[in-house]
Amino acid sequence: MSMRSALHTCKTVRTEDYAIVRTSRKMRGGISLGHYAFLSLYQCTGMTINHELGHCRQSMMLGPLYLLVIGLPSIIWAWLGDRIAPDRSYYWFYTERWADRLGGVER
């Protein structure tokens, strides 16, 4: 499924002064792009929303560097993390740990 078709099925679940969180039945995970966070409807919990809002804050802090410093490493970690470090939690990685901290998430 294309990202475009997944985003067309989105529904806004929460807005903040700096970001909009939307859900989709067709998405498998979550992604934050600037002032928008897109989540799987099935993973839409308060903790996950706050985590993605943390990524939105990272984006505002880093500007265009966000994609290099957070976006790309986060995608690679999501794809390969369980093979690279099977004993580590997904949220152990620096991009995810920082997003949790910025979103006020305690794991």
Side-chain angles (χ1 to χ4, degrees), residues 47-55 91 96 99-100 105 107:
M47 240 174 147
T48 306
I49 289 171
N50 288 338
H51 173 83
E52 292 303 325
L53 289 172
H55 281 305
Y91 299 99
E96 309 311 318
D100 274 351
V105 176
R107 294 192 192 273

Side-chain angles (χ1 to χ4, degrees), residues 46-88:
M47 240 174 147
T48 306
I49 289 171
N50 288 338
H51 173 83
E52 292 303 325
L53 289 172
H55 281 305
C56 290
R57 285 187 177 129
Q58 289 171 330
S59 178
M60 288 187 299
M61 294 166 77
L62 297 170
L65 291 175
Y66 173 78
L67 291 176
L68 289 173
V69 175
I70 302 297
L72 188 58
S74 185
I75 288 170
I76 292 169
W77 178 249
W79 185 42
L80 295 174
D82 59 339
R83 287 174 250 175
I84 295 170
D87 58 325
R88 299 288 185 177

